[in-house]
Amino acid sequence: MRITDARVIICSPGRNFVTLKVTTEEGIHGLGDATLNGRELAVASYLTDHIIPLLIGRDARRIEDTWQYLYKGAYWRRGPVTMTAISAVDTALWDILGKAVNRPVYELLGGASRDSVMVYGHANGSNVDDTVAAVGRYVTAGYKAVRAQCAIPDMPHAYGVGRGDLYYEPAERGTPPETAWSTERYLPFVPTLFERLRREFGPDVHLLHDVHHRLTPIEAGRLGKSLEPYHLFWMEDPVPAELQEGFRLIRQHTTTPIAVGEVFDSVFDCHQLITSQWIDYIRTTVVHAGGISHLRKIANLAELYHVRTGSHGATDLSPVCMAAALHFDLSVHNFGIQEYMRHTDDTDLVFPHAYTFADGVMHPGNASGLGVDIDELLAAQYPYEPAYLPVARRQDGTMHSW
Ligand code: GCO
Ligand code: MG
């Protein structure tokens, strides 16, 4: 099963996506998502200029060997661009293997560990009433878990307040938009939001909140403690996580569960967090953390330490990643939850897929491989458009983490 062709397809059906398409001598093709929001062309070049020439002629069945060849062979290890490119190759090879043996990928990963995959959606609003209404719409739509974000009074650009109800799309065409941030206003406000949400929706719905890397460890400890009465499913990305040791301090102060890892690209970003039991959910995902192969290694380590998975699944991760994530989620024992922000209708048409949503849960479907494809003719109608994620500044002008 030699690889005879590999190509990068860049399209923008509502937002930018980079997709790797690998084809074998039998004419089987596999897809991998290679989208790195705001830095898309760097991954496209890494694949086209440095990886694709090495793939031609290789045996598509040697998934682990190809992973190690690309990882060790580059000499320069890790980093989001490298790891997103390797992820795309790995995902495409699992897709090819599934198609070659005519089985859905989750069966090759050990089979289903559960009947379906619980997902959460994003509810947000420019004030508490709007956020309550948005959570209500998700609950009515059958969701068992909802992430709630709200603009802080007098700070309209708090993280998570997006355009539209179903898609959360922070990247904007042109240069990076600037947003303002105030920890002083945020910290006392968030508990009032969750106090209201629990009053409106009762104890059963799972409520989540994304801090989006904005606090210091001691501030995060305070926030987690003040949210304890509202028993969140998780508090996400409380601090920027380059300093794994910082989570020890958060953990000392709160029992609110902690989720982290959407920007991690390998197990080396989180091994200390996991083995020290400083976190509860690891959010690494197929497209940025080394594909299905490496994500399984992270999950297997996490399982030993009672840490469960909660893969990133925002709108900027393509339906190819979503499909791969669902095969992983269904199979892995220590699954926790999967983020699911819907794609626009344009995106769904460009990437026809077998995965389904009903009653708050998803299933990858039983098509062979990943069960997702790309309509290249349609994709060509949506050319790439440069777009950037926002940046954040504190009120005195100091750059802050967005
Ligand atoms: C999430 C994330 C996203 C990111 C986005 C960046 O929890 O879904 O924080 O919304 O901001 O994926 O590209
Ligand atoms: Mg997040």
Side-chain angles (χ1 to χ4, degrees):
M1 232 171 39
R2 299 278 150 204
I3 296 171
T4 48
D5 186 48
R7 277 178 313 115
V8 171
I9 303 156
I10 306 174
C11 61
S12 194
R15 70 161 343 284
N16 292 317
F17 293 113
V18 179
T19 309
L20 176 70
K21 181 171 182 173
V22 179
T23 308
T24 70
E25 57 193 337
E26 294 82 8
I28 302 175
H29 73 264
L31 299 181
D33 183 16
T35 309
L36 185 61
N37 202 358
R39 297 292 186 270
E40 294 86 358
L41 299 185
V43 184
S45 158
Y46 194 103
L47 283 164
T48 304
D49 298 325
H50 304 293
I51 284 190
I52 287 176
L54 310 178
L55 292 180
I56 307 303
R58 292 185 71 83
D59 184 341
R61 291 167 298 194
R62 296 187 63 172
I63 301 176
E64 179 67 19
D65 182 63
T66 299
W67 195 100
Q68 299 293 348
Y69 178 75
L70 297 175
Y71 182 83
K72 294 184 164 63
Y75 185 64
W76 312 105
R77 297 183 184 203
R78 304 163 59 195
V81 174
T82 302
M83 296 306 287
T84 302
I86 293 177
S87 300
V89 175
D90 183 83
T91 310
L93 296 187
W94 279 105
D95 192 18
I96 288 172
L97 186 63
K99 287 176 176 169
V101 300
N102 198 23
R103 304 308 313 161
V105 166
Y106 74 82
E107 288 195 2
L108 310 182
L109 304 177
S113 284
R114 57 194 50 77
D115 300 330
S116 59
V117 169
M118 179 168 73
V119 298
Y120 71 91
H122 295 190
N124 61 70
S126 47
N127 55 53
V128 172
D129 286 339
D130 286 356
T131 303
V132 169
V135 171
R137 286 193 290 277
Y138 276 100
V139 171
T140 306
Y143 281 77
K144 303 173 197 315
V146 188
R147 181 187 100 160
Q149 309 292 136
C150 186
I152 308 165
D154 301 323
M155 297 238 69
H157 295 119
Y159 165 75
V161 183
R163 292 153 289 170
D165 273 356
L166 291 173
Y167 327 109
Y168 174 65
E169 179 49 78
E172 288 189 21
R173 311 296 188 205
T175 52
E178 301 237 344
T179 61
W181 177 251
S182 164
T183 300
E184 295 75 11
R185 287 177 192 270
Y186 171 78
L187 279 178
F189 173 70
V190 183
T192 66
L193 170 67
F194 283 90
E195 193 270 330
R196 173 82 187 277
L197 290 171
R198 276 293 169 224
R199 205 157 16 98
E200 298 275 348
F201 298 103
D204 290 342
V205 62
H206 295 304
L207 294 175
L208 298 79
H209 182 67
D210 190 349
V211 182
H212 219 252
H213 332 269
R214 299 290 168 93
L215 301 178
T216 64
I218 200 67
E219 290 165 350
R222 173 182 156 193
L223 180 65
K225 201 171 187 170
S226 63
L227 290 171
E228 282 169 20
Y230 317 113
H231 51 98
L232 266 58
F233 187 91
W234 77 35
M235 169 172 80
E236 175 180 334
D237 286 340
V239 295
E242 290 95 331
L243 181 69
Q244 296 186 43
E245 180 73 25
F247 282 72
R248 179 204 299 273
L249 193 56
I250 308 175
R251 204 58 152 178
Q252 278 167 359
H253 290 283
T254 182
T255 56
T256 294
I258 298 168
V260 68
E262 65 181 45
V263 301
F264 294 174
D265 55 55
S266 80
V267 71
F268 301 107
D269 291 323
C270 51
H271 64 101
Q272 202 184 349
L273 291 173
I274 291 170
T275 58
S276 304
Q277 295 180 274
W278 289 331
I279 59 169
D280 301 278
Y281 295 92
I282 182 68
R283 280 179 47 70
T284 41
T285 194
V286 171
V287 56
H288 299 134
I292 292 171
S293 299
H294 195 70
L295 209 59
R296 289 176 86 200
K297 294 180 186 181
I298 297 174
N300 292 163
L301 175 69
E303 182 188 345
L304 304 182
Y305 294 91
H306 304 278
V307 174
R308 292 190 285 161
T309 67
S311 289
H312 189 201
T315 307
D316 52 294
L317 285 65
S318 93
V320 178
C321 177
M322 194 65 211
L326 291 169
H327 285 274
F328 166 80
D329 297 336
L330 197 68
S331 64
V332 73
H333 170 70
N334 53 323
F335 166 77
I337 199 167
Q338 169 67 50
E339 181 178 16
Y340 173 49
M341 273 315 277
R342 288 159 195 266
H343 292 105
T344 61
D345 291 342
D346 287 351
T347 298
D348 282 338
L349 287 171
V350 168
F351 295 95
H353 49 259
Y355 60 76
T356 51
F357 169 88
D359 299 326
V361 298
M362 294 183 76
H363 193 281
N366 286 310
S368 61
L370 295 174
V372 63
D373 214 337
I374 184 166
D375 180 336
E376 290 192 61
L377 286 177
L378 193 55
Q381 292 178 23
Y382 299 98
Y384 169 76
E385 292 185 43
Y388 286 96
L389 287 168
V391 297
R393 289 185 190 278
R394 295 210 292 267
Q395 284 175 307
D396 69 355
T398 309
M399 279 300 303
H400 199 67
S401 304
W402 174 75

